[in-house]
Amino acid sequence: MEVFQRRWVGTFIVILGVTFPIALGYLWLVLTSTNREVHGLWPIGGWELQNWRFLWEPIGRRPMIWQVLLNTLIFAGGVSLLVVTVSAMAAYAISRMNFKGRGMFLGLVLVLHAFPAVSLLIATFYVLVMLRLFDSLLGVVLVMTAFMMPLGIWLLKGFFDNLSWDMEMAALVDGASRFRIFFQIALPLAKPGLFALGIFSFLIAWGEFILPYTFIASSRVWIFSIYLESLMGDLSATDFGLLTAVGLFYTLPAVIVFLLGQKYLLQMYYGGSKG
Amino acid sequence: MRAAALELKGVPVALRGLAKRFGTVDALTPVDLDIEAGELVAFLGPSGCGKTTTLLLIAGIYRPTAGQIYFDETQVDHLHPRDRDVGMVFQSYALYPHFTLFDNIAFPLTIQRTARNVARERVTRVAEMLGIGEILERRPSQVSGGQQQRAALARALVKQPRILLLDEPLSNLDAQIRLQARGEIRRLQRQMGITSILVTHDQAEALAMADRVAVFCQGRLEQFATPHDLYHAPANTFVAGFVGHPPMNLVEGRIENGRFRGAAGLELEVDVEGDGPATLGLRPEDIRLDAGGVHAGEVAIAEALGRETLLTVELGSGLQLPGLQLKVLVAETEAVPPGTAVSLDLAGAARHLFDGEGRRIP
Ligand SMILES: Nc1ncnc2c1ncn2[C@@H]1O[C@H](COP(=O)(O)OP(=O)(O)OP(=O)(O)O)[C@@H](O)[C@H]1O
Ligand SMILES: [Mg+2]
């Protein structure tokens, strides 16, 4: 007991040591965004909400922040939903069904996973233009989803592999079709995996920059990361107070989603359903 | 009495040259089997002999490599499981963990789109019949193993199938509940007159419950007979050695001029014509200890089994070559310690004779 506690204290100190600089950074972000001037971590000149003015007025010729927020929600939510839906179906088929080329498909998915998305940017650009999906949210959502599929398939395949065959056979004998088994038996039992993947891909999409930056041109469909980048555009005139406030605002939804979904994310590492 | 309302009627099942191969493994070599309507047949055999495979072929989970399956003269082996109208209990019970027991049992009815109130009534009736009516709102993980087994049985019975398949349904229960469940399943099955197949590797269970027993070994059907015939007229040396506890003594030797000659000078008159290699089977419980017996030997091991004691008697010890060990089952009161010289009386023992290939000589 004693030993356990002492070790726990040690762990705590290590974790504190590692996270301290990060926590300081966030503190700085909060202070800078709400004060006229900050020296070190010491606020000077009192409160002001000047840096948060982007909430009620457009900054320069940029779109209103609420439009950007909506776009980002649609983007990350769409990616999350699509990744979960398509991966679940693909993973179930790969895990439970016997079809020609199954092994090869699985290998291919793995190879795709190894490809950095950046190396495919130009090819993807042409495909999008051809499909008339360039400069649209749908286009980026599709591309982003495609890049996340290998991870999603492998993750959910692990969950489906853990379901007992007996249960599936029992359902067949009970008269269920494979579709019914998928929807009523397999999906509910893989729920922790679905949530984990959903939250994970939401967070990844929320932070994604390269893909939207490349495939979105007009400010109408800007998302947060592009908006933020535009504020840093020319360094000479960068308004750091504004930048920190926007950055903070940008982080908030991600933090909320993370806190809500933390327990599912942890499940990802165990990769399996418990009864 | 309540069961009468379920109105189940079994149908005959016939397997014709049924075979299944997984890659290079012959899980089942061509099997012919005729099961009568309302009969309870046990599939008995050691692990990996193809019992489950046969059951899953009948249920429609596996497609046969060769052969046909008939339910009531109708060929069914091309049908999807849902069109075969069978109920099945899996060894692991395979209940759906995210459903309550009620929803588990109602699942087959939900699929059949049975009207809600009808389904509710039928689930309740089957559940009450099996004594789990009070715990239907619980999840499988919240009930005991015995209750899970009943729920699985209820799920198999609720759609009133023509055939009931049971894959080692009792193997996860402790000895006491197992005995009780045995009787219960048998009673239900009789009441409903439902054709049933029970897979087991417990011979006591098979012999006690089944009308007829099919003994499998390595994908082959070795014998299909009543428990009585299985015990008194095993078709070959495998069945002879597998059925019966303790197992039968099998002595290799030759038949010459109507006499069987085995090791250690064992010689017996047999009612068989023709000479050749043969195996003689003697049940331990048929052999007597007898002071004046002709087969002299010495007790090597004595195992107390409770009411009885199993003696291992070494015949022809000493200079006579080669030695021969026979198991002899005697009443506890007759038991003698190891090292005692005894002689055996084989006169009253049924003599099971098998030819060079191990087949019974009638
Ligand atoms: N899906 C499968 N793929 C490959 N081989 C299989 C498959 N199912 C069964 N087998 C093989 O077929 C043989 C028979 O298996 P089966 O499950 O029918 O045995 P069993 O008699 O039910 O044994 P147990 O008493 O252990 O349950 C075994 O050798 C097994 O390894
Ligand atoms: Mg089995």
Side-chain angles (χ1 to χ4, degrees), chain A residues 168-199:
Chain A
E168 194 149 344
M169 290 181 184
L172 280 175
V173 173
D174 284 346
S177 62
R178 288 310 278 271
F179 271 106
R180 187 188 280 271
I181 293 175
F182 175 66
F183 284 113
Q184 293 198 345
I185 312 280
L187 274 191
L189 290 176
K191 221 192 272 170
L194 301 180
F195 276 122
L197 179 63
I199 290 160

PDB file of all heavy atoms in Angstrom, chain A residues 168-199:
ATOM      1  N   GLU A 168     -23.035 -15.096 -33.952  1.00  0.00           N
ATOM      2  CA  GLU A 168     -23.464 -14.805 -35.304  1.00  0.00           C
ATOM      3  C   GLU A 168     -24.209 -16.007 -35.896  1.00  0.00           C
ATOM      4  O   GLU A 168     -25.222 -15.859 -36.581  1.00  0.00           O
ATOM      5  CB  GLU A 168     -22.233 -14.461 -36.146  1.00  0.00           C
ATOM      6  CG  GLU A 168     -22.604 -13.833 -37.436  1.00  0.00           C
ATOM      7  CD  GLU A 168     -21.550 -12.859 -37.921  1.00  0.00           C
ATOM      8  OE1 GLU A 168     -20.692 -12.460 -37.120  1.00  0.00           O
ATOM      9  OE2 GLU A 168     -21.596 -12.518 -39.103  1.00  0.00           O
ATOM     10  N   MET A 169     -23.695 -17.213 -35.614  1.00  0.00           N
ATOM     11  CA  MET A 169     -24.376 -18.418 -36.097  1.00  0.00           C
ATOM     12  C   MET A 169     -25.751 -18.535 -35.455  1.00  0.00           C
ATOM     13  O   MET A 169     -26.721 -18.899 -36.116  1.00  0.00           O
ATOM     14  CB  MET A 169     -23.554 -19.655 -35.753  1.00  0.00           C
ATOM     15  CG  MET A 169     -22.270 -19.770 -36.539  1.00  0.00           C
ATOM     16  SD  MET A 169     -21.413 -21.276 -36.045  1.00  0.00           S
ATOM     17  CE  MET A 169     -19.909 -21.129 -37.008  1.00  0.00           C
ATOM     18  N   ALA A 170     -25.813 -18.237 -34.155  1.00  0.00           N
ATOM     19  CA  ALA A 170     -27.098 -18.312 -33.459  1.00  0.00           C
ATOM     20  C   ALA A 170     -28.098 -17.374 -34.123  1.00  0.00           C
ATOM     21  O   ALA A 170     -29.259 -17.733 -34.343  1.00  0.00           O
ATOM     22  CB  ALA A 170     -26.923 -17.952 -31.988  1.00  0.00           C
ATOM     23  N   ALA A 171     -27.637 -16.186 -34.483  1.00  0.00           N
ATOM     24  CA  ALA A 171     -28.526 -15.222 -35.118  1.00  0.00           C
ATOM     25  C   ALA A 171     -29.007 -15.747 -36.474  1.00  0.00           C
ATOM     26  O   ALA A 171     -30.167 -15.577 -36.843  1.00  0.00           O
ATOM     27  CB  ALA A 171     -27.821 -13.886 -35.279  1.00  0.00           C
ATOM     28  N   LEU A 172     -28.097 -16.394 -37.204  1.00  0.00           N
ATOM     29  CA  LEU A 172     -28.498 -16.979 -38.490  1.00  0.00           C
ATOM     30  C   LEU A 172     -29.580 -18.034 -38.285  1.00  0.00           C
ATOM     31  O   LEU A 172     -30.573 -18.067 -39.009  1.00  0.00           O
ATOM     32  CB  LEU A 172     -27.293 -17.611 -39.189  1.00  0.00           C
ATOM     33  CG  LEU A 172     -26.354 -16.662 -39.927  1.00  0.00           C
ATOM     34  CD1 LEU A 172     -25.152 -17.419 -40.458  1.00  0.00           C
ATOM     35  CD2 LEU A 172     -27.087 -15.974 -41.077  1.00  0.00           C
ATOM     36  N   VAL A 173     -29.364 -18.902 -37.300  1.00  0.00           N
ATOM     37  CA  VAL A 173     -30.354 -19.949 -37.024  1.00  0.00           C
ATOM     38  C   VAL A 173     -31.676 -19.318 -36.568  1.00  0.00           C
ATOM     39  O   VAL A 173     -32.750 -19.804 -36.889  1.00  0.00           O
ATOM     40  CB  VAL A 173     -29.825 -20.929 -35.959  1.00  0.00           C
ATOM     41  CG1 VAL A 173     -30.908 -21.915 -35.554  1.00  0.00           C
ATOM     42  CG2 VAL A 173     -28.622 -21.686 -36.501  1.00  0.00           C
ATOM     43  N   ASP A 174     -31.571 -18.218 -35.838  1.00  0.00           N
ATOM     44  CA  ASP A 174     -32.785 -17.525 -35.412  1.00  0.00           C
ATOM     45  C   ASP A 174     -33.511 -16.895 -36.589  1.00  0.00           C
ATOM     46  O   ASP A 174     -34.616 -16.395 -36.438  1.00  0.00           O
ATOM     47  CB  ASP A 174     -32.448 -16.423 -34.390  1.00  0.00           C
ATOM     48  CG  ASP A 174     -32.161 -17.006 -33.017  1.00  0.00           C
ATOM     49  OD1 ASP A 174     -32.472 -18.192 -32.805  1.00  0.00           O
ATOM     50  OD2 ASP A 174     -31.615 -16.279 -32.169  1.00  0.00           O
ATOM     51  N   GLY A 175     -32.865 -16.880 -37.741  1.00  0.00           N
ATOM     52  CA  GLY A 175     -33.529 -16.404 -38.944  1.00  0.00           C
ATOM     53  C   GLY A 175     -33.062 -15.046 -39.430  1.00  0.00           C
ATOM     54  O   GLY A 175     -33.637 -14.486 -40.356  1.00  0.00           O
ATOM     55  N   ALA A 176     -32.016 -14.497 -38.822  1.00  0.00           N
ATOM     56  CA  ALA A 176     -31.565 -13.162 -39.195  1.00  0.00           C
ATOM     57  C   ALA A 176     -30.761 -13.193 -40.494  1.00  0.00           C
ATOM     58  O   ALA A 176     -30.095 -14.181 -40.791  1.00  0.00           O
ATOM     59  CB  ALA A 176     -30.713 -12.569 -38.073  1.00  0.00           C
ATOM     60  N   SER A 177     -30.843 -12.107 -41.263  1.00  0.00           N
ATOM     61  CA  SER A 177     -29.999 -11.965 -42.437  1.00  0.00           C
ATOM     62  C   SER A 177     -28.682 -11.340 -41.999  1.00  0.00           C
ATOM     63  O   SER A 177     -28.569 -10.827 -40.892  1.00  0.00           O
ATOM     64  CB  SER A 177     -30.675 -11.062 -43.459  1.00  0.00           C
ATOM     65  OG  SER A 177     -30.854  -9.778 -42.891  1.00  0.00           O
ATOM     66  N   ARG A 178     -27.695 -11.356 -42.881  1.00  0.00           N
ATOM     67  CA  ARG A 178     -26.417 -10.761 -42.514  1.00  0.00           C
ATOM     68  C   ARG A 178     -26.567  -9.271 -42.226  1.00  0.00           C
ATOM     69  O   ARG A 178     -25.912  -8.713 -41.364  1.00  0.00           O
ATOM     70  CB  ARG A 178     -25.380 -10.966 -43.627  1.00  0.00           C
ATOM     71  CG  ARG A 178     -24.881 -12.388 -43.768  1.00  0.00           C
ATOM     72  CD  ARG A 178     -24.437 -13.010 -42.470  1.00  0.00           C
ATOM     73  NE  ARG A 178     -23.092 -12.690 -42.029  1.00  0.00           N
ATOM     74  CZ  ARG A 178     -22.007 -13.382 -42.366  1.00  0.00           C
ATOM     75  NH1 ARG A 178     -22.092 -14.414 -43.152  1.00  0.00           N
ATOM     76  NH2 ARG A 178     -20.825 -13.031 -41.908  1.00  0.00           N
ATOM     77  N   PHE A 179     -27.483  -8.603 -42.944  1.00  0.00           N
ATOM     78  CA  PHE A 179     -27.694  -7.174 -42.709  1.00  0.00           C
ATOM     79  C   PHE A 179     -28.237  -6.934 -41.304  1.00  0.00           C
ATOM     80  O   PHE A 179     -27.798  -6.058 -40.585  1.00  0.00           O
ATOM     81  CB  PHE A 179     -28.676  -6.598 -43.734  1.00  0.00           C
ATOM     82  CG  PHE A 179     -27.981  -6.108 -44.967  1.00  0.00           C
ATOM     83  CD1 PHE A 179     -28.051  -6.824 -46.144  1.00  0.00           C
ATOM     84  CD2 PHE A 179     -27.235  -4.948 -44.927  1.00  0.00           C
ATOM     85  CE1 PHE A 179     -27.391  -6.390 -47.271  1.00  0.00           C
ATOM     86  CE2 PHE A 179     -26.563  -4.495 -46.046  1.00  0.00           C
ATOM     87  CZ  PHE A 179     -26.654  -5.225 -47.237  1.00  0.00           C
ATOM     88  N   ARG A 180     -29.194  -7.765 -40.933  1.00  0.00           N
ATOM     89  CA  ARG A 180     -29.774  -7.612 -39.604  1.00  0.00           C
ATOM     90  C   ARG A 180     -28.717  -7.886 -38.533  1.00  0.00           C
ATOM     91  O   ARG A 180     -28.641  -7.187 -37.524  1.00  0.00           O
ATOM     92  CB  ARG A 180     -30.952  -8.544 -39.423  1.00  0.00           C
ATOM     93  CG  ARG A 180     -31.693  -8.296 -38.121  1.00  0.00           C
ATOM     94  CD  ARG A 180     -32.729  -9.345 -37.881  1.00  0.00           C
ATOM     95  NE  ARG A 180     -33.948  -9.128 -38.634  1.00  0.00           N
ATOM     96  CZ  ARG A 180     -34.973  -8.410 -38.178  1.00  0.00           C
ATOM     97  NH1 ARG A 180     -34.886  -7.828 -37.008  1.00  0.00           N
ATOM     98  NH2 ARG A 180     -36.055  -8.273 -38.889  1.00  0.00           N
ATOM     99  N   ILE A 181     -27.901  -8.907 -38.778  1.00  0.00           N
ATOM    100  CA  ILE A 181     -26.849  -9.228 -37.819  1.00  0.00           C
ATOM    101  C   ILE A 181     -25.900  -8.041 -37.686  1.00  0.00           C
ATOM    102  O   ILE A 181     -25.524  -7.647 -36.589  1.00  0.00           O
ATOM    103  CB  ILE A 181     -26.080 -10.486 -38.254  1.00  0.00           C
ATOM    104  CG1 ILE A 181     -26.991 -11.699 -38.177  1.00  0.00           C
ATOM    105  CG2 ILE A 181     -24.848 -10.690 -37.372  1.00  0.00           C
ATOM    106  CD1 ILE A 181     -26.375 -12.966 -38.695  1.00  0.00           C
ATOM    107  N   PHE A 182     -25.568  -7.435 -38.831  1.00  0.00           N
ATOM    108  CA  PHE A 182     -24.675  -6.279 -38.804  1.00  0.00           C
ATOM    109  C   PHE A 182     -25.276  -5.150 -37.970  1.00  0.00           C
ATOM    110  O   PHE A 182     -24.623  -4.618 -37.073  1.00  0.00           O
ATOM    111  CB  PHE A 182     -24.402  -5.814 -40.234  1.00  0.00           C
ATOM    112  CG  PHE A 182     -23.578  -4.559 -40.327  1.00  0.00           C
ATOM    113  CD1 PHE A 182     -22.257  -4.551 -39.909  1.00  0.00           C
ATOM    114  CD2 PHE A 182     -24.135  -3.395 -40.827  1.00  0.00           C
ATOM    115  CE1 PHE A 182     -21.494  -3.394 -39.989  1.00  0.00           C
ATOM    116  CE2 PHE A 182     -23.375  -2.231 -40.907  1.00  0.00           C
ATOM    117  CZ  PHE A 182     -22.066  -2.233 -40.487  1.00  0.00           C
ATOM    118  N   PHE A 183     -26.529  -4.837 -38.246  1.00  0.00           N
ATOM    119  CA  PHE A 183     -27.124  -3.674 -37.586  1.00  0.00           C
ATOM    120  C   PHE A 183     -27.547  -3.948 -36.143  1.00  0.00           C
ATOM    121  O   PHE A 183     -27.404  -3.094 -35.284  1.00  0.00           O
ATOM    122  CB  PHE A 183     -28.330  -3.165 -38.386  1.00  0.00           C
ATOM    123  CG  PHE A 183     -27.922  -2.395 -39.612  1.00  0.00           C
ATOM    124  CD1 PHE A 183     -28.171  -2.887 -40.874  1.00  0.00           C
ATOM    125  CD2 PHE A 183     -27.248  -1.193 -39.481  1.00  0.00           C
ATOM    126  CE1 PHE A 183     -27.768  -2.182 -42.008  1.00  0.00           C
ATOM    127  CE2 PHE A 183     -26.838  -0.479 -40.599  1.00  0.00           C
ATOM    128  CZ  PHE A 183     -27.102  -0.984 -41.864  1.00  0.00           C
ATOM    129  N   GLN A 184     -28.077  -5.148 -35.888  1.00  0.00           N
ATOM    130  CA  GLN A 184     -28.647  -5.378 -34.564  1.00  0.00           C
ATOM    131  C   GLN A 184     -27.698  -6.075 -33.590  1.00  0.00           C
ATOM    132  O   GLN A 184     -27.890  -5.996 -32.388  1.00  0.00           O
ATOM    133  CB  GLN A 184     -29.942  -6.184 -34.676  1.00  0.00           C
ATOM    134  CG  GLN A 184     -31.029  -5.381 -35.363  1.00  0.00           C
ATOM    135  CD  GLN A 184     -32.407  -5.950 -35.115  1.00  0.00           C
ATOM    136  OE1 GLN A 184     -32.553  -7.075 -34.667  1.00  0.00           O
ATOM    137  NE2 GLN A 184     -33.420  -5.163 -35.412  1.00  0.00           N
ATOM    138  N   ILE A 185     -26.727  -6.799 -34.117  1.00  0.00           N
ATOM    139  CA  ILE A 185     -25.820  -7.525 -33.225  1.00  0.00           C
ATOM    140  C   ILE A 185     -24.415  -6.926 -33.260  1.00  0.00           C
ATOM    141  O   ILE A 185     -23.884  -6.491 -32.253  1.00  0.00           O
ATOM    142  CB  ILE A 185     -25.744  -9.022 -33.602  1.00  0.00           C
ATOM    143  CG1 ILE A 185     -27.134  -9.611 -33.786  1.00  0.00           C
ATOM    144  CG2 ILE A 185     -24.910  -9.782 -32.588  1.00  0.00           C
ATOM    145  CD1 ILE A 185     -27.853  -9.981 -32.544  1.00  0.00           C
ATOM    146  N   ALA A 186     -23.832  -6.877 -34.448  1.00  0.00           N
ATOM    147  CA  ALA A 186     -22.422  -6.479 -34.541  1.00  0.00           C
ATOM    148  C   ALA A 186     -22.227  -5.001 -34.171  1.00  0.00           C
ATOM    149  O   ALA A 186     -21.381  -4.675 -33.340  1.00  0.00           O
ATOM    150  CB  ALA A 186     -21.900  -6.754 -35.938  1.00  0.00           C
ATOM    151  N   LEU A 187     -23.027  -4.104 -34.778  1.00  0.00           N
ATOM    152  CA  LEU A 187     -22.837  -2.672 -34.510  1.00  0.00           C
ATOM    153  C   LEU A 187     -23.019  -2.315 -33.037  1.00  0.00           C
ATOM    154  O   LEU A 187     -22.159  -1.652 -32.456  1.00  0.00           O
ATOM    155  CB  LEU A 187     -23.782  -1.836 -35.379  1.00  0.00           C
ATOM    156  CG  LEU A 187     -23.289  -1.496 -36.787  1.00  0.00           C
ATOM    157  CD1 LEU A 187     -24.190  -0.442 -37.420  1.00  0.00           C
ATOM    158  CD2 LEU A 187     -21.848  -1.009 -36.770  1.00  0.00           C
ATOM    159  N   PRO A 188     -24.112  -2.750 -32.408  1.00  0.00           N
ATOM    160  CA  PRO A 188     -24.262  -2.386 -30.990  1.00  0.00           C
ATOM    161  C   PRO A 188     -23.105  -2.887 -30.129  1.00  0.00           C
ATOM    162  O   PRO A 188     -22.687  -2.205 -29.197  1.00  0.00           O
ATOM    163  CB  PRO A 188     -25.565  -3.073 -30.576  1.00  0.00           C
ATOM    164  CG  PRO A 188     -26.307  -3.308 -31.831  1.00  0.00           C
ATOM    165  CD  PRO A 188     -25.289  -3.485 -32.902  1.00  0.00           C
ATOM    166  N   LEU A 189     -22.577  -4.056 -30.466  1.00  0.00           N
ATOM    167  CA  LEU A 189     -21.504  -4.593 -29.636  1.00  0.00           C
ATOM    168  C   LEU A 189     -20.174  -3.911 -29.928  1.00  0.00           C
ATOM    169  O   LEU A 189     -19.255  -3.962 -29.130  1.00  0.00           O
ATOM    170  CB  LEU A 189     -21.394  -6.105 -29.843  1.00  0.00           C
ATOM    171  CG  LEU A 189     -22.584  -6.876 -29.260  1.00  0.00           C
ATOM    172  CD1 LEU A 189     -22.494  -8.341 -29.576  1.00  0.00           C
ATOM    173  CD2 LEU A 189     -22.667  -6.664 -27.753  1.00  0.00           C
ATOM    174  N   ALA A 190     -20.067  -3.278 -31.090  1.00  0.00           N
ATOM    175  CA  ALA A 190     -18.832  -2.567 -31.414  1.00  0.00           C
ATOM    176  C   ALA A 190     -18.959  -1.089 -31.057  1.00  0.00           C
ATOM    177  O   ALA A 190     -18.114  -0.280 -31.433  1.00  0.00           O
ATOM    178  CB  ALA A 190     -18.509  -2.732 -32.899  1.00  0.00           C
ATOM    179  N   LYS A 191     -20.013  -0.733 -30.328  1.00  0.00           N
ATOM    180  CA  LYS A 191     -20.304   0.672 -30.057  1.00  0.00           C
ATOM    181  C   LYS A 191     -19.110   1.431 -29.483  1.00  0.00           C
ATOM    182  O   LYS A 191     -18.812   2.538 -29.950  1.00  0.00           O
ATOM    183  CB  LYS A 191     -21.507   0.776 -29.115  1.00  0.00           C
ATOM    184  CG  LYS A 191     -22.450   1.892 -29.529  1.00  0.00           C
ATOM    185  CD  LYS A 191     -23.473   2.180 -28.458  1.00  0.00           C
ATOM    186  CE  LYS A 191     -24.701   1.315 -28.579  1.00  0.00           C
ATOM    187  NZ  LYS A 191     -25.595   1.424 -27.408  1.00  0.00           N
ATOM    188  N   PRO A 192     -18.415   0.884 -28.494  1.00  0.00           N
ATOM    189  CA  PRO A 192     -17.265   1.621 -27.967  1.00  0.00           C
ATOM    190  C   PRO A 192     -16.263   1.957 -29.071  1.00  0.00           C
ATOM    191  O   PRO A 192     -15.722   3.059 -29.112  1.00  0.00           O
ATOM    192  CB  PRO A 192     -16.645   0.649 -26.963  1.00  0.00           C
ATOM    193  CG  PRO A 192     -17.723  -0.316 -26.634  1.00  0.00           C
ATOM    194  CD  PRO A 192     -18.614  -0.399 -27.821  1.00  0.00           C
ATOM    195  N   GLY A 193     -16.059   1.020 -29.986  1.00  0.00           N
ATOM    196  CA  GLY A 193     -15.135   1.254 -31.094  1.00  0.00           C
ATOM    197  C   GLY A 193     -15.647   2.337 -32.023  1.00  0.00           C
ATOM    198  O   GLY A 193     -14.886   3.189 -32.482  1.00  0.00           O
ATOM    199  N   LEU A 194     -16.949   2.313 -32.286  1.00  0.00           N
ATOM    200  CA  LEU A 194     -17.527   3.312 -33.182  1.00  0.00           C
ATOM    201  C   LEU A 194     -17.369   4.698 -32.575  1.00  0.00           C
ATOM    202  O   LEU A 194     -16.978   5.649 -33.255  1.00  0.00           O
ATOM    203  CB  LEU A 194     -19.005   3.018 -33.426  1.00  0.00           C
ATOM    204  CG  LEU A 194     -19.328   1.659 -34.041  1.00  0.00           C
ATOM    205  CD1 LEU A 194     -20.833   1.512 -34.234  1.00  0.00           C
ATOM    206  CD2 LEU A 194     -18.618   1.479 -35.362  1.00  0.00           C
ATOM    207  N   PHE A 195     -17.677   4.820 -31.278  1.00  0.00           N
ATOM    208  CA  PHE A 195     -17.539   6.120 -30.608  1.00  0.00           C
ATOM    209  C   PHE A 195     -16.092   6.584 -30.629  1.00  0.00           C
ATOM    210  O   PHE A 195     -15.804   7.733 -30.949  1.00  0.00           O
ATOM    211  CB  PHE A 195     -18.023   6.026 -29.157  1.00  0.00           C
ATOM    212  CG  PHE A 195     -19.503   6.195 -29.023  1.00  0.00           C
ATOM    213  CD1 PHE A 195     -20.286   5.216 -28.449  1.00  0.00           C
ATOM    214  CD2 PHE A 195     -20.117   7.350 -29.491  1.00  0.00           C
ATOM    215  CE1 PHE A 195     -21.661   5.367 -28.335  1.00  0.00           C
ATOM    216  CE2 PHE A 195     -21.490   7.511 -29.383  1.00  0.00           C
ATOM    217  CZ  PHE A 195     -22.263   6.510 -28.802  1.00  0.00           C
ATOM    218  N   ALA A 196     -15.206   5.669 -30.291  1.00  0.00           N
ATOM    219  CA  ALA A 196     -13.795   6.032 -30.246  1.00  0.00           C
ATOM    220  C   ALA A 196     -13.338   6.543 -31.602  1.00  0.00           C
ATOM    221  O   ALA A 196     -12.733   7.611 -31.709  1.00  0.00           O
ATOM    222  CB  ALA A 196     -12.960   4.827 -29.828  1.00  0.00           C
ATOM    223  N   LEU A 197     -13.666   5.790 -32.637  1.00  0.00           N
ATOM    224  CA  LEU A 197     -13.241   6.188 -33.974  1.00  0.00           C
ATOM    225  C   LEU A 197     -13.885   7.510 -34.368  1.00  0.00           C
ATOM    226  O   LEU A 197     -13.239   8.386 -34.954  1.00  0.00           O
ATOM    227  CB  LEU A 197     -13.608   5.092 -34.984  1.00  0.00           C
ATOM    228  CG  LEU A 197     -13.229   5.406 -36.428  1.00  0.00           C
ATOM    229  CD1 LEU A 197     -11.730   5.547 -36.564  1.00  0.00           C
ATOM    230  CD2 LEU A 197     -13.759   4.334 -37.367  1.00  0.00           C
ATOM    231  N   GLY A 198     -15.166   7.673 -34.015  1.00  0.00           N
ATOM    232  CA  GLY A 198     -15.876   8.903 -34.348  1.00  0.00           C
ATOM    233  C   GLY A 198     -15.212  10.110 -33.712  1.00  0.00           C
ATOM    234  O   GLY A 198     -14.950  11.119 -34.378  1.00  0.00           O
ATOM    235  N   ILE A 199     -14.919  10.004 -32.435  1.00  0.00           N
ATOM    236  CA  ILE A 199     -14.315  11.124 -31.714  1.00  0.00           C
ATOM    237  C   ILE A 199     -12.901  11.390 -32.223  1.00  0.00           C
ATOM    238  O   ILE A 199     -12.509  12.531 -32.480  1.00  0.00           O
ATOM    239  CB  ILE A 199     -14.291  10.826 -30.203  1.00  0.00           C
ATOM    240  CG1 ILE A 199     -15.726  10.878 -29.678  1.00  0.00           C
ATOM    241  CG2 ILE A 199     -13.417  11.820 -29.467  1.00  0.00           C
ATOM    242  CD1 ILE A 199     -15.909  10.173 -28.379  1.00  0.00           C
TER     243      ILE A 199
END
